[in-house]
Amino acid sequence: MTLKRLLGLDTRADRYSYASDPVAGYVSAQKIPDKWVATTCGYCSVGCGMFIGVKNGRAVSVRGNPDHPVNRGMLCPKGLSEHHTIAADNRARYPLLRRNGAFGRVSWDEALTTMAAKFRETQERYGPKSVGVISTGQLVTEEFYALGKLVQLGIGTPNLDGNTTLCMATAVAGYKRSFGSDGPPGAYEDLENADVILLIGANVAENHPILCWRLRANPSATVIVVDPRVTKTAMLADLHLPLKPRADLALINGFIHFVIENDLVDHEYVARHTSGFEELRESVRTYTPERVSEITGLSVELICRTAWTYARARAGFIGWTMGVNHSTKGTETVNAINNLALITGNIGRAGAAPFSITGQCNAMGTREAGFASSLPGYRKFENPDDRRELAHLWSISEERIPTARGLAYPDIIEAALDRRIRALWIIATNPVVSFPNYGSLRQALESLDFLVVQDGYHPTPTSEYAHLMLPAAMWGEKEGTYTNSERRVSKVNRAVPPPDEARSDFDIFLGVADALGVRDDIFPGWSKPADAFEEWKRISAGRLCDYSGMTYKAIEQNGGLQWPLPAGKVHDGEVRRLYTDGKFQTDDGRARLLPSAWEPFPEQPNEEFPFVLNTGRTVEHWHTRTKTSKVPILERLSPSAWVEMNPADARALRLKPQARVDIVSRRGRVQSVELRVTETVAAGQLFVPFHYFEANANQVTQSAFDPISREPNYKQSAVRIEPSSTEGRLWSGGSAIRNSLSLIRSWRGSTIPILPRGSSESRARGAR
Ligand SMILES: Nc1nc2c(c(=O)[nH]1)N[C@H]1C(S)=C(S)[C@@H](COP(=O)(O)OP(=O)(O)OC[C@H]3O[C@@H](n4cnc5c(=O)[nH]c(N)nc54)[C@H](O)[C@@H]3O)O[C@H]1N2
Ligand SMILES: Nc1nc2c(c(=O)[nH]1)N[C@H]1C(S)=C(S)[C@@H](COP(=O)(O)OP(=O)(O)OC[C@H]3O[C@@H](n4cnc5c(=O)[nH]c(N)nc54)[C@H](O)[C@@H]3O)O[C@H]1N2
Ligand code: SF4
Ligand SMILES: [Mo]
């Protein structure tokens, strides 16, 4: 199978018909749809336009939208099989309330009344901040906007955050510090305009496959990949820099040093549009190529050549993702990336951008409208003018607007552990699998008096801990908008109804507001997402993320619209970039050049734990696999977890390929994982996907967070490898048996194993 085929990029032929779906490989007559409903993919932040094929009220297929400017009809393997996520047998169907340790069905009315009563009771006893809410990057913007108002103004707790703090918080904090506001400045078209493309800790071939296609539309660009692993993206690149883990900040400071020493600085841009150049120059003085070579393990020649290539580019693009963000030095690394782009004038022009590639389908929507780490419309909690304006727009008193953000996600978990937070509402995220250091997360969840989980599936590893389970409609069943990485707002539509009593998150939020008696106050006259959209347009008007010129209709007609789009602006199809005039969102309008210093990562390997464990993704699976384990083709391609190890290390440990091994850290043990011996990881390093609860990588990751963004350091943990005690038993079967075993498991719909015992008592107590 060619790489192109593997990535699902070879799909032009089926633009107009489902009959040649390369994923299913065949189509039975029953699957030819009666109608196609236009929507946007619900997985990643690329934001591909697609149609859902509907037959007899069921989603039976999916195809790419040939007219959508993002993907021009192409879809990756996840997108192409997305309809399978809807009709899964473990969809959550009814509200469930735990009584005496067991879940029982209740009406929506009882569910929401109980929830409102529990929240109010908790707040009366322990203070307003004793309730916390953790949401996601996977709702529609209308839902994020509604949820922010509901939590901050209706429930009255500032402790609202989301899984975006496990993901994008670092990029957000970095942009705010450098440019005065969040917002990725570039556009996908930049991949086609740039002559040098530097990808740092971003494995787009697996995780943003359609961007790979955009990349390939520009064969003359020099593509440089910075990643400790030889990823599929590195294999597509002209130059791969396999640096030592977490050496990026030293590398970028080294590039800046080289640029300054060799007078490759864009002096005019620096003088007109930035502040802090002298401090920056001073701060990188010690980052000589020799020292940077020592820290990164890359040759002096490679470092200098890369710096030269980028600085001499007519248009240089830097894309980064989790290899940068998942680090205790993440925000400062983002600032270093911004510094490099600024001093070479690589921002605000076609092909030139420091561009954080986002992750989830609507990670951007929650950043714009969410009311968690900022006030809606990228307004600042600490800015009295921003608060005044918002209060005026909402016709409420200024005192109701919080003056500081509440606890960030890891701090909500910590507060649950020491019982400052007593009641928690988790919406569209699965922390039992995705949060670092599972042991402490589990304790935190067990410490709660009342946990509400709102998810499209049940059971999930997290919903097992809930006292109240609220069944949500998901992608394909609800309406609204998503914003992708290039700030393109696309329409999401309902193709089929949700199963049984499941409701859209939007309707659930209205229901909770009703139960709390605050609906008329915070959602005046609202009954549908379009009502929230109209209000959000007014709130965003005049801001960097201005939606006021958009309508649902224009969004659909244009295959999405990029913000800013002020009212009165024509929908001209023109590609929009931020900071084209060199004016930034800081007080003096200049971008800040911010010095930052490299430091080794927090948990260095030692004799007991000699390996650096790297965790991440594979193309077939989506996060905690609640969705992709329901898709037969994806599950068959990648049914179980593995760990990658260099042949030299495997020889040293006398381990054979496909042996079963345990990954052990100071915090826990991942049991019986398949060993893959491969040169794609360097000696001393390991890589494991984090998708599999049954081999949960986050049992061994650590509670180390970026002090600025609060994002976890997921990519480096010190571990050792031990032969698994089940090794003998499974060894004889080979991977065929193992694969079919896990397939059979998934057919039974029981891929989600039973949770550790010992928590039912505390759950029962809390639910009384
Ligand atoms: N198939 C699939 N696609 C997805 C997702 C998914 O779950 N599955 N999730 C979506 C989401 S929410 C996100 S955030 C994105 C994430 O997209 P990516 O960031 O591309 O995903 P990861 O695999 O987590 O990490 C990227 C790379 O960082 C590298 N890395 C590790 N340590 C370092 C380091 O010290 N320096 C550098 N330079 N690199 C390092 C890893 O080796 C890895 O190849 O993907 C989105 N797309
Ligand atoms: N070790 C390690 N851990 C990581 C990472 C890593 O690289 N390494 N990456 C981190 C990153 S970048 C991210 S983004 C997180 C992702 O971590 P999670 O957010 O925990 O992952 P998902 O599986 O996407 O969980 C989303 C949940 O929402 C549900 N859901 C989907 N759509 C809807 C909806 O419309 N409404 C409702 N109510 N529910 C819905 C799904 O069924 C699922 O249970 O993981 C983080 N964890
Ligand atoms: S690249 Fe992302 S948005 Fe596009 S089809 Fe694949 S998962 Fe969906
Ligand atoms: Mo993410």
Side-chain angles (χ1 to χ4, degrees), residues 163-164 166-168 321-322 326 358-360 363 617 622-623:
N163 67 3
T164 40
L166 313 182
C167 178
M168 291 299 144
T321 320
M322 293 305 128
H326 282 165
T358 60
Q360 300 167 80
R617 295 160 163 77
W622 180 254
H623 297 161

Side-chain angles (χ1 to χ4, degrees), residues 138-139 163 166-167 322 326 360 428-430 434 454-457 472-474 478 505 615 617 622-624 626 690 698 714-715:
Q138 299 175 50
L139 303 182
N163 67 3
L166 313 182
C167 178
M322 293 305 128
H326 282 165
Q360 300 167 80
T429 184
N430 192 6
S434 57
Q454 180 168 322
D455 204 288
Y457 299 100
M474 301 207 313
K478 60 183 186 176
D505 296 278
T615 64
R617 295 160 163 77
W622 180 254
H623 297 161
T624 68
T626 54
F690 83 102
N698 282 316
Y714 281 122
K715 297 283 190 256

Side-chain angles (χ1 to χ4, degrees), residues 386-520:
D386 284 356
R387 295 199 303 268
R388 198 167 308 129
E389 185 185 35
L390 208 47
H392 174 73
L393 286 165
W394 281 333
S395 309
I396 61 173
S397 80
E398 229 178 289
E399 290 69 49
R400 288 184 66 190
I401 313 270
T403 55
R405 72 165 293 180
L407 298 175
Y409 186 166
D411 305 308
I412 293 179
I413 297 305
E414 205 185 298
L417 264 172
D418 55 30
R419 311 224 351 113
R420 279 173 290 131
I421 288 211
R422 301 281 182 136
L424 187 63
W425 182 11
I426 294 179
I427 304 157
T429 184
N430 192 6
V432 168
V433 189
S434 57
F435 194 76
N437 193 358
Y438 167 64
S440 71
L441 185 272
R442 195 183 68 208
Q443 270 185 37
L445 295 186
E446 287 175 358
S447 305
L448 292 165
D449 294 341
F450 192 67
L451 173 64
V452 185
V453 173
Q454 180 168 322
D455 204 288
Y457 299 100
H458 175 75
T460 72
T462 303
S463 76
E464 292 272 22
Y465 283 79
H467 301 106
L468 178 65
M469 204 287 144
L470 300 178
M474 301 207 313
W475 174 88
E477 299 164 345
K478 60 183 186 176
E479 185 185 28
T481 52
Y482 292 156
T483 312
N484 74 358
S485 299
E486 60 166 355
R487 311 180 318 285
R488 180 179 300 277
V489 178
S490 286
K491 190 75 201 311
V492 175
N493 287 318
R494 172 177 160 139
V496 293
D500 297 309
E501 290 184 15
R503 288 186 184 174
S504 74
D505 296 278
F506 188 82
D507 286 343
I508 298 175
F509 300 152
L510 295 190
V512 173
D514 250 337
L516 287 164
V518 297
R519 179 158 169 182
D520 292 339

Side-chain angles (χ1 to χ4, degrees), residues 229-231 235 642-650 656-658 674-687:
R229 284 193 306 148
V230 190
T231 58
M235 291 176 200
W642 69 92
V643 55
E644 294 171 13
M645 179 188 274
N646 187 273
D649 292 331
K656 295 214 168 70
Q658 292 184 313
E674 177 188 325
L675 182 73
R676 289 194 186 161
V677 178
T678 163
E679 307 237 3
T680 57
V681 293
Q685 298 177 31
L686 303 167
F687 175 82

Side-chain angles (χ1 to χ4, degrees), residues 33 147 174 208 215 221 286 307 328 438 444 460 607 646 689 703-704 715 747:
L147 179 67
H208 301 93
L215 203 66
T286 57
T328 52
Y438 167 64
T460 72
E607 261 180 31
N646 187 273
S703 303
K715 297 283 190 256
W747 291 333

